[in-house]
């Protein structure tokens, strides 16, 4: 962690990446892949729960098999499992997203005090900023990382 100009330690950005961004990053080049590259460079802390990691794995293998893609997602999944921060999700009192399956990302972000959920899912993006957590797409997230880096110099 770097220190701010006032001598306080500035916390690293914490983010939850939803499955659509993770899978796009594993199989295709583009902004979703850049999010994973920025995680590899430790520009932010990726936070996951067991349920999210399980969904990553199931969906990545489904996409690989359905699309007959050559990349093996397992090394990516192992890397995320080893490098991400695991949290026990904070259960929501009632569903927040139109799709209750998306609430796992909110529950994880709440438990981690994450600033962002990075998603391509319209149902999640529509929520905008529940509980003070910004829900942004991968391109917006990369811009936010750039802005944060520029302020830190």
């Amino acid at each position: 962690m770097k220190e701010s100009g006032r001598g306080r330690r500035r916390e690293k950005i914490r983010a939850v990446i939803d499955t659509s961004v993770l899978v796009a990053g594993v199989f295709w080049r583009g902004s979703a892949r850049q999010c994973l590259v920025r995680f590899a460079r430790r520009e932010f802390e990726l936070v996951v729960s067991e349920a999210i990691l399980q969904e990553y794995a199931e969906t990545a293998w489904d996409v690989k098999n359905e699309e007959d893609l050559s990349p093996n997602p397992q090394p990516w999944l192992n890397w995320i499992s080893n490098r991400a921060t695991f949290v026990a999700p904070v259960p929501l009192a009632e569903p927040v997203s139109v799709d209750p399956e998306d609430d796992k990302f909110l529950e994880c972000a709440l438990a981690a005090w994450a600033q962002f959920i990075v998603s391509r899912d319209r149902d999640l993006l529509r929520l905008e900023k529940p509980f003070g957590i910004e829900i942004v797409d991968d391109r917006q997230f990369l811009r936010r990382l750039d802005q944060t880096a520029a302020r830190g110099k």
Side-chain angles (χ1 to χ4, degrees):
M1 281 182 229
K2 294 184 178 181
E3 294 202 15
S4 71
R6 292 176 278 194
R8 292 183 310 178
R9 293 172 70 102
R10 192 166 7 112
E11 298 257 341
K12 190 180 286 190
I13 289 174
R14 285 179 305 283
V16 175
I17 292 180
D18 95 338
T19 308
S20 61
V21 174
L22 182 279
V23 169
V26 167
F27 292 110
W28 297 281
R29 298 186 192 281
S31 53
R33 171 76 56 90
Q34 280 306 304
C35 288
L36 297 179
V37 167
R38 303 289 281 274
F39 169 59
R41 293 180 183 157
R42 299 179 188 267
E43 293 181 29
F44 70 96
E45 180 180 356
L46 175 59
V47 184
V48 297
S49 65
E50 288 291 341
I52 290 172
L53 195 63
Q54 173 132 11
E55 183 174 297
Y56 285 173
E58 290 171 3
T59 305
W61 281 104
D62 286 348
V63 168
K64 178 194 175 15
N65 293 329
E66 289 169 12
E67 303 288 328
D68 197 27
L69 299 170
S70 61
N72 177 355
Q74 197 59 53
W76 290 91
L77 296 166
N78 293 344
W79 171 67
I80 288 167
S81 179
N82 289 325
R83 291 276 309 275
T85 300
F86 278 81
V87 296
V90 172
L92 299 173
E94 57 188 51
V96 175
S97 180
V98 173
D99 179 357
E101 287 295 310
D102 291 337
D103 283 345
K104 71 173 73 62
F105 300 102
L106 288 165
E107 293 171 340
C108 180
L110 279 169
W113 292 81
Q115 294 95 331
F116 294 96
I117 295 174
V118 185
S119 179
R120 291 182 171 183
D121 183 293
R122 287 189 183 135
D123 291 334
L124 277 172
L125 289 167
R126 238 181 249 127
L127 296 174
E128 293 180 7
K129 199 170 181 179
F131 311 107
I133 303 163
E134 288 187 65
I135 302 179
V136 296
D137 68 26
D138 38 318
R139 288 185 175 100
Q140 292 170 313
F141 184 63
L142 292 170
R143 282 193 295 274
R144 287 300 188 76
L145 289 174
D146 290 340
Q147 291 166 353
T148 300
R151 281 194 301 264
K153 290 182 180 177

